[in-house]
Amino acid sequence: MEVSIKGEIASRNMKYKEVAQAVGIPQVTFYKKLKKNSFTLPEAARIFDVLGSKLVLESK
């Protein structure tokens, strides 16, 4: 099942600002990365950890 970072944040009624702060990414940088969907794997893992989800990679 594919999920998006935006969707996960919205489903938990969190604000992007809150997630950016919790992950330790400057707010402006977080917005830019979110817009381009350009998070590194470690950043994405931290985001999902903050959201209480687990990031799992699987091959196609």
Side-chain angles (χ1 to χ4, degrees):
M1 175 167 103
E2 290 185 34
V3 295
S4 71
I5 291 175
K6 286 181 180 182
E8 288 295 306
I9 292 171
S11 72
R12 286 163 177 76
N13 295 317
M14 294 183 78
K15 299 198 181 305
Y16 296 148
K17 178 181 177 179
E18 295 173 305
V19 178
Q21 288 174 344
V23 174
I25 298 174
Q27 197 172 337
V28 172
T29 304
F30 186 84
Y31 287 121
K32 287 179 182 177
K33 287 178 173 266
L34 193 61
K35 184 177 180 181
K36 293 181 181 180
N37 197 25
S38 62
F39 292 102
T40 64
L41 281 176
E43 289 170 338
R46 287 196 319 259
I47 291 167
F48 278 95
D49 187 48
V50 164
L51 297 173
S53 294
K54 188 176 185 179
L55 179 64
V56 176
L57 302 175
E58 53 184 54
S59 61
K60 289 186 175 186

